[in-house]
Amino acid sequence: MEDLGKVFISERVEQKWTSKWHDECCFDKTVDNSKESFCILMPPPNVTGVLHMGHLLNNTLQDVFVRRARHCNKCATWIPGMDHAGISLQVKVEKELIQSGINPKKIGREMFLDYARAWRDKHGGMILSQLKSLGVSCDFKNQIYTLNENYSLAVLTAFVELYKRGYIYRGKRIVNWCPKTLTALSDEEVIMKPQKSKLYCVRYDIVERPGQFIDISTTRPETIMGDAAIAVNPDDERYKGLVGLHCKRPLNIADIPIIADQAVDKNFGTGILKITPAHGAVDFAVAQRHSLPIIDILNPDGTLNALAGDEFVGLDRFVVREKAVEKLQMMGALPKVEEYENNVGFSERGDVPIEPRLSEQWFLKYPKIHEARCAVSKGFIKFYPKRWEKTYLHWLDNIQDWCISRQLWWGHRIPVWYKKNSDRSNSDNWHVSVDRPSNIADWEQDEDVLDTWASSWMWPLGVFGWPNQEKMSQECFQYFYPTSVLVTGPDIIFFWVARMIIASMEFLGPDKKSLSDEEIKERIPFKSVYFTGIIRDKFGRKMSKSLGNSPEPLDLVAKYGTDGLRFGILLSAPSGQDLIFNEENLKLGRNFCNKLWNAFRFSRINRSYKPYSQVPLADIVAKIEVADLDIDDHAILSNLIKFCITFEGQMKNFEVNAAINSISSFFWNEYCNWYVEASKVRLRGENKTVFAVHDIIMRQLLLLLNPFIPFITDELWNVGEYEHNQRSMQNLYCETAKDLQLAFHALNLDETSIATVLQLKEFLNLSRRLISQCRESKERMALYICPPNEVAMNILKDYTLKLQQLVGLEKIDFTDKILQFPSIQTPLGIVYLHVTQINTPEEKKKLTLEINKLSKLIKLSEVQLSNKEFLSRAPAHIIEGSKKMLRENTFKREELCKILSMM
RNA sequence: GGGGAAUUAGCUCAGUUGGUUAGAGCAUCAGCAUGACACGCUGGGGGUCACUGGUUCGAAUCCAGUAUUUCCCACCA
């Protein structure tokens, strides 16, 4: 065996294993019909993105799941991809063009797209290569990009099909308009932010009643010029007489009617609402009901147009707000201004307030809402943690039509052509098809592209080549669909998760108006959804570029090693909760790896016989001499099985954090701190059985740990020569608890050894406490033990050698007398420490304290056991337990009292 | 306004259907070069389980209410 250094140095092995895995095609998609399939689709990162902590967590989890699946004898694949990131990329390219003096709007669509593609090729896709270096085990040869020809076909086919099925329509409606990126947005892309603003009270004169006026509250005086009416609630007694009259619009002066509409809230402000049909969703609805004119005073970029009147034309909306206020004040039409906090919608990408704007867009009325609902509520798709189901269902219950067109160039261009010089509002003049019309010269294509999410929602179908049947079978759709688990953040539950489910319900299989439960089950895109937490900094803030509170993942790799980083991040990720990032945990991850490294070094140290070649578990077990097995061997092997059962359950339920803690606790506490230490005495004698037990534990740990820390485990697996000819352990089978039980059958493991070892542990702990309290010098000391019975005596006698080693004692002796030494009670008897000088008052104080504590417990038990209700209602084992405790504590107290009386 | 989640040691969190004296890791304190590991080992201290009621023989756990924190949805008057 080669010489391993004291410290595990991650970077020495990472590169090697990354290339090895990919050279050996460990992660290539294959189909093995004898095995269960397992498939994860990577949520495609934005082509514009760079690796951040969220990706790290998300992809580490996916990697853990897929690697674990491979060890569980599943035929597993993980398909990576990349999202073209519509607005995001377009904004980036525009910025770059402007910086180099090019007006992106003027160069035309084709040239812009050339620039965009060039940008993508140069800067795009950083993440995937960064992920590769983090050890993710996806099939990099099989990357899907949302603008690929095949994938685009899926996106466009979906559009065309939905149009044919009557779900897509073109409409002139109020949409969320981003004046910065000059495109419409979906409701989901609007972020509400609380803003400190002002509530202006504006005075409108009543035309028919000179000298009379009404006051109206508004936060947006710049839209007054677009007012088409003034509305009150029909039930509002105060204003009943006004309905049907007119009032004077104070800016861009005109007479506008006073109308009554239910949409007005009597209790807000003065109870009067100004109606600006082109610039508010409610207002637009009111205007439609009352056939009001629509006065659109805004340009797409947020400046005002001629309809606003000469004095405002060309000015920005916020400049106009100030000017309007000034003017109203001069006119005496502004009786009151109050400070006011309200929520304002911001454009997610542009980060400016969105403008509700009337415009013509493509809308989708969601299909298969009921089915998408059932898929989750009936448990065909399981959410982890389950509570996100409510959020999902609530969204579906309140779903609004989706504006899917974007006024951008980068993306999937809407597959609709209009007859040249014809009326576009008449659908007779449309050609809606994946293929362009044959006499293309007579047609012009819709200028817009689809919302990026209207392409990513096809992900589970598109990656498998839908709708092309040939491609689908080539991509093994039948075998891998539905995919196993989707790992993503809850922040895109509406954007993406819900929509993927809807798309799958609608498009998989024949077109049907509704689906049976069986059909829903067949169409689900994934069986489980694992929602990760959101990574926050230690102040609980989201990690973001603007706050600068996100560490650079690759720096962390350099500091803690990839394995340490992976382990650390999972350690701090309790399931179902946001996680507070703490670099301390990464240190723990690194330390864990180092501990594993050294435990391995220990298990291989000083071995005279040759390393194994190709070692199946059975061969190692066969090296054990059953007669040589001692209590610790029995206990550690029994514990290994117990721990594996726990671990398997946790992994099955996606409790990664808990699983890591179990494995860490078994490895560190049971194995390193107890078994390794206890076995040192026997290892002096080249005990084959002990070597074999170490080997079994190490081998199993490496297999179980591999999904979490793939580099170090593969390295050790090979150094340890569990496999001959330096093969990676990636696709090896990991024995289950059941397999272990079978393999250990011939060993006749005694499970009661676990309890006995627990007693020994406590005995040891208490003895050590006594020693550390009363230690007089660095010399080794002597203990005298007074066991309460034969059984305890025998346990201790068998263990004497180990005890001496573990406590570092000069001598252990047994006694049946009460000695004048400092003492402590243990489950295996009273222990006396031989000292030259005893501090009697101190000892007396200690004993009295202990006696008092016992007395309290005894009292408690007595009270409980004298309670008739308790005796008649509590289950037998609880009563028995209480009695046993009373007995034991009474006995203990008597013992201590005796010692005390002798002092 | 509607809904979700959280509240347990200084910090981060476990605590399974109520049941013996509430756990872990980190931090802290003390000790230790003990045949892998100081990225380590050993031991100690530290909790009125947010609060108030209720159900129960028995409540961190179940119920009701209160408080605080937090997230999501709705909302440019």
Side-chain angles (χ1 to χ4, degrees):
Chain A
M1 195 176 83
E2 61 190 276
D3 190 28
L4 303 174
K6 270 189 173 191
V7 175
F8 168 59
I9 298 163
S10 191
E11 60 259 37
R12 284 204 194 139
V13 305
E14 287 176 5
Q15 189 65 53
K16 174 177 104 186
W17 283 109
T18 304
S19 353
K20 203 158 187 148
W21 294 330
H22 292 286
D23 292 350
E24 286 182 12
C25 304
C26 291
F27 312 137
D28 286 16
K29 186 165 81 179
T30 53
V31 168
D32 180 344
N33 283 307
S34 68
K35 290 182 175 181
E36 195 184 322
S37 75
F38 184 94
C39 178
I40 296 182
L41 304 181
M42 179 186 288
N46 278 349
V47 68
T48 51
V50 281
L51 188 72
H52 59 61
M53 297 303 289
H55 296 122
L56 182 77
L57 172 68
N58 189 281
N59 285 285
T60 303
L61 283 163
Q62 292 175 69
D63 197 40
V64 167
F65 296 145
V66 75
R67 283 180 192 263
R68 169 79 185 155
R70 294 194 189 101
H71 290 309
C72 290
N73 206 23
K74 290 182 186 163
C75 180
T77 191
W78 180 15
I79 303 174
M82 189 69 73
D83 193 294
H84 66 279
I87 299 185
S88 173
L89 186 131
Q90 175 138 354
V91 167
K92 277 200 157 77
V93 173
E94 279 175 1
K95 217 183 240 170
E96 209 175 79
L97 286 173
I98 288 167
Q99 266 172 13
S100 50
I102 301 169
N103 183 339
K105 296 287 169 221
K106 286 206 173 135
I107 57 176
R109 185 175 200 121
E110 287 316 314
M111 197 184 277
F112 179 85
L113 288 177
D114 284 343
Y115 276 114
R117 280 186 282 260
W119 190 97
R120 176 199 67 200
D121 293 341
K122 195 170 162 205
H123 307 285
M126 290 289 293
I127 290 185
L128 285 185
S129 53
Q130 286 173 315
L131 284 176
K132 196 168 185 174
S133 76
L134 285 176
V136 302
S137 64
C138 49
D139 181 3
F140 284 102
K141 288 177 201 137
N142 188 20
Q143 293 180 29
I144 315 291
Y145 173 54
T146 51
L147 282 179
N148 278 353
E149 200 182 317
N150 285 317
Y151 193 89
S152 298
L153 179 65
V155 175
L156 300 182
T157 305
F159 182 96
V160 172
E161 277 303 309
L162 286 167
Y163 174 76
K164 284 188 190 153
R165 297 176 193 183
Y167 293 109
I168 283 183
Y169 60 92
R170 192 165 165 77
K172 194 161 192 180
R173 304 206 338 207
I174 296 283
V175 296
N176 305 302
W177 183 265
C178 172
K180 191 169 175 195
T181 52
L182 301 178
T183 177
L185 300 173
S186 68
D187 295 343
E188 285 72 23
E189 287 164 288
V190 176
I191 297 164
M192 302 307 286
K193 294 190 191 176
Q195 296 288 304
K196 281 210 164 70
S197 50
K198 290 194 166 73
L199 188 61
Y200 303 92
C201 187
V202 183
R203 186 153 292 179
Y204 287 56
D205 291 326
I206 298 172
V207 177
E208 286 85 355
R209 296 182 185 165
Q212 284 189 30
F213 52 80
I214 47 178
D215 287 343
I216 298 171
S217 299
T218 180
T219 53
R220 303 203 60 198
E222 71 273 23
T223 64
I224 288 175
M225 296 75 81
D227 287 354
I230 291 301
V232 298
N233 189 291
D235 303 328
D236 196 333
E237 294 300 329
R238 292 174 292 179
Y239 305 121
K240 271 222 157 122
L242 294 180
V243 177
L245 302 181
H246 293 77
C247 61
K248 221 165 230 1
R249 187 171 65 202
L251 297 174
N252 200 11
I253 294 167
D255 292 350
I256 53 175
I258 301 173
I259 59 172
D261 195 282
Q262 285 293 352
V264 183
D265 178 0
K266 285 192 286 191
N267 301 317
F268 189 94
T270 54
I272 309 176
L273 179 62
K274 70 187 201 62
I275 304 297
T276 320
H279 306 293
V282 176
D283 304 44
F284 182 71
V286 174
Q288 296 238 298
R289 283 198 283 275
H290 297 267
S291 311
L292 296 172
I294 288 158
I295 313 159
D296 188 347
I297 56 166
L298 279 168
N299 292 316
D301 64 355
T303 58
L304 279 78
N305 63 27
L307 287 176
D310 293 344
E311 54 194 317
F312 300 121
V313 68
L315 298 175
D316 181 78
R317 51 191 171 147
F318 295 110
V319 176
V320 173
R321 180 178 296 181
E322 279 169 37
K323 284 198 81 165
V325 168
E326 234 169 74
K327 177 137 194 225
L328 289 169
Q329 210 148 24
M330 270 168 39
M331 293 163 61
L334 195 66
K336 205 162 69 180
V337 181
E338 297 171 72
E339 295 297 320
Y340 186 65
E341 188 164 312
N342 63 342
N343 278 323
V344 177
F346 276 67
S347 151
E348 193 193 22
R349 292 286 165 196
D351 200 32
V352 292
I354 59 110
E355 197 59 54
R357 176 163 184 261
L358 191 64
S359 81
E360 190 145 8
Q361 303 286 345
W362 289 97
F363 293 92
L364 169 70
K365 182 175 151 43
Y366 287 95
K368 300 286 184 298
I369 296 169
H370 173 72
E371 285 76 4
R373 210 181 182 289
C374 288
V376 171
S377 67
K378 292 192 176 165
F380 304 141
I381 299 174
K382 292 204 164 58
F383 281 10
Y384 298 86
K386 197 171 162 50
R387 72 187 140 86
W388 291 112
E389 287 178 6
K390 279 201 178 175
T391 310
Y392 169 85
L393 296 174
H394 183 259
W395 184 75
L396 280 180
D397 290 343
N398 295 284
I399 202 160
Q400 302 288 320
D401 290 359
W402 174 14
C403 172
I404 50 171
S405 44
R406 295 289 176 275
Q407 288 62 55
L408 304 170
W409 286 336
W410 181 247
H412 299 95
R413 192 163 175 181
I414 288 176
V416 175
W417 286 260
Y418 307 98
K419 245 180 225 154
K420 275 186 185 163
N421 306 316
S422 72
D423 175 13
R424 282 193 177 194
S425 62
N426 182 351
S427 62
D428 291 344
N429 297 324
W430 301 356
H431 172 92
V432 182
S433 165
V434 171
D435 306 307
R436 59 189 203 178
S438 47
N439 49 340
I440 186 71
D442 300 338
W443 298 80
E444 51 199 0
Q445 190 174 2
D446 195 296
E447 291 300 317
D448 293 350
V449 300
L450 287 169
D451 178 4
T452 307
W453 295 105
S455 75
S456 22
W457 76 324
M458 296 304 291
W459 194 241
L461 299 172
V463 297
F464 289 113
W466 184 90
N468 181 335
Q469 293 297 323
E470 198 181 322
K471 186 90 182 139
M472 283 167 84
S473 84
Q474 201 181 322
E475 298 297 334
C476 320
F477 172 83
Q478 277 301 330
Y479 187 66
F480 287 114
Y481 195 97
T483 62
S484 308
V485 55
L486 173 76
V487 179
T488 190
D491 47 338
I492 53 174
I493 192 164
F494 314 132
F495 273 117
W496 198 45
V497 181
R499 287 166 177 170
M500 278 194 287
I501 296 173
I502 290 172
S504 301
M505 292 299 137
E506 179 64 17
F507 294 120
L508 209 62
D511 177 19
K512 290 193 170 179
K513 275 275 164 285
S514 65
L515 302 178
S516 69
D517 282 0
E518 251 343 280
E519 288 164 322
I520 293 174
K521 227 177 189 167
E522 275 167 24
R523 294 185 183 202
I524 55 165
F526 25 73
K527 293 175 214 157
S528 310
V529 184
Y530 178 98
F531 289 105
T532 65
I534 292 167
I535 303 192
R536 299 176 180 280
D537 68 7
K538 60 181 163 191
F539 305 108
R541 303 174 304 181
K542 250 187 192 176
M543 290 206 163
S544 74
K545 224 192 261 170
S546 52
L547 280 171
N549 57 352
S550 177
E552 173 59 52
L554 297 180
D555 291 348
L556 297 174
V557 166
K559 248 167 132 176
Y560 303 102
T562 301
D563 284 334
L565 175 59
R566 290 169 59 115
F567 199 86
I569 197 98
L570 294 176
L571 209 51
S572 45
S575 62
Q577 280 178 64
D578 286 357
L579 67 107
I580 302 206
F581 178 75
N582 185 350
E583 219 174 301
E584 280 302 306
N585 279 345
L586 303 188
K587 225 180 248 175
L588 297 182
R590 180 201 58 184
N591 294 358
F592 181 89
C593 293
N594 199 54
K595 186 78 179 172
L596 183 69
W597 183 258
N598 278 290
F600 182 84
R601 284 206 318 150
F602 175 79
S603 77
R604 293 296 147 129
I605 223 158
N606 292 336
R607 293 207 185 182
S608 54
Y609 60 88
K610 276 281 123 198
Y612 313 96
S613 60
Q614 202 183 12
V615 186
L617 179 63
D619 288 9
I620 309 181
V621 176
K623 291 178 197 290
I624 291 178
E625 303 267 356
V626 177
D628 275 356
L629 288 173
D630 76 0
I631 187 164
D632 284 315
D633 301 319
H634 280 278
I636 193 75
L637 291 174
S638 304
N639 269 328
L640 176 67
I641 293 170
K642 269 175 82 175
F643 144 69
C644 282
I645 292 171
T646 309
F647 179 85
E648 283 160 19
Q650 287 163 332
M651 287 307 285
K652 212 172 150 191
N653 291 320
F654 300 103
E655 294 165 15
V656 179
N657 185 249
I660 271 209
N661 279 315
S662 312
I663 203 165
S664 172
S665 151
F666 173 79
F667 164 66
W668 210 302
N669 300 332
E670 306 294 333
Y671 178 64
C672 292
N673 289 357
W674 186 263
Y675 186 79
V676 167
E677 292 306 322
S679 69
K680 278 181 178 169
V681 181
R682 291 198 295 160
L683 280 178
R684 283 188 204 133
E686 282 280 319
N687 187 320
K688 251 173 66 182
T689 297
V690 184
F691 284 152
V693 174
H694 277 291
D695 252 351
I696 291 167
I697 307 285
M698 234 25 234
R699 181 183 179 281
Q700 189 71 15
L701 281 170
L702 290 180
L703 283 165
L704 291 174
L705 280 167
N706 179 258
F708 307 98
I709 43 176
F711 294 106
I712 185 174
T713 44
D714 223 339
E715 178 70 13
L716 291 176
W717 186 265
N718 272 273
V719 174
E721 301 187 38
Y722 286 99
E723 271 291 314
H724 60 163
N725 62 23
Q726 291 278 298
R727 233 177 46 174
S728 157
M729 69 190 291
Q730 291 317 310
N731 291 300
L732 296 179
Y733 177 66
C734 170
E735 279 76 8
T736 62
K738 248 195 184 136
D739 297 328
L740 294 179
Q741 259 159 354
L742 272 172
F744 298 162
H745 182 73
L747 306 181
N748 283 321
L749 291 184
D750 174 14
E751 280 193 41
T752 62
S753 58
I754 295 179
T756 313
V757 166
L758 271 176
Q759 286 189 317
L760 282 163
K761 274 183 190 171
E762 203 181 337
F763 173 88
L764 209 73
N765 170 277
L766 293 164
S767 307
R768 280 165 169 164
R769 188 190 302 179
L770 181 67
I771 293 170
S772 82
Q773 277 166 359
C774 309
R775 162 153 269 161
E776 291 176 317
S777 69
K778 289 200 170 180
E779 299 291 301
R780 292 183 160 230
M781 304 177 83
L783 282 187
Y784 298 98
I785 311 167
C786 173
N789 53 42
E790 196 90 357
V791 182
M793 171 82 100
N794 288 335
I795 293 172
L796 289 167
K797 273 193 172 151
D798 286 346
Y799 218 76
T800 308
L801 263 181
K802 284 189 180 178
L803 282 178
Q804 278 178 344
Q805 159 103 18
L806 289 169
V807 196
L809 289 170
E810 178 63 38
K811 185 175 127 185
I812 290 179
D813 232 329
F814 294 93
T815 177
D816 51 4
K817 298 195 186 69
I818 289 170
L819 303 178
Q820 293 283 340
F821 288 129
S823 65
I824 198 157
Q825 256 179 340
T826 82
L828 294 170
I830 295 182
V831 174
Y832 299 94
L833 180 69
H834 184 109
V835 292
T836 49
Q837 236 184 348
I838 180 165
N839 181 341
T840 313
E842 187 60 33
E843 280 306 307
K844 276 188 173 170
K845 205 172 131 196
K846 219 170 74 187
L847 284 167
T848 316
L849 248 157
E850 198 56 35
I851 288 168
N852 288 342
K853 219 164 103 188
L854 286 168
S855 296
K856 264 185 207 158
L857 292 175
I858 289 166
K859 189 85 196 265
L860 273 174
S861 303
E862 281 171 350
V863 168
Q864 194 177 41
L865 287 167
S866 63
N867 183 342
K868 279 188 192 131
E869 295 280 359
F870 174 72
L871 292 173
S872 65
R873 285 171 195 263
H877 73 277
I878 296 295
I879 298 174
E880 221 19 75
S882 182
K883 283 182 182 165
K884 192 176 160 210
M885 210 166 71
L886 179 61
R887 269 197 315 273
E888 282 174 1
N889 286 333
T890 312
F891 174 76
K892 277 186 184 173
R893 187 171 64 176
E894 275 167 22
E895 265 187 331
L896 293 183
C897 286
K898 268 188 227 158
I899 299 175
L900 185 62
S901 67
M902 300 280 286
M903 287 239 152

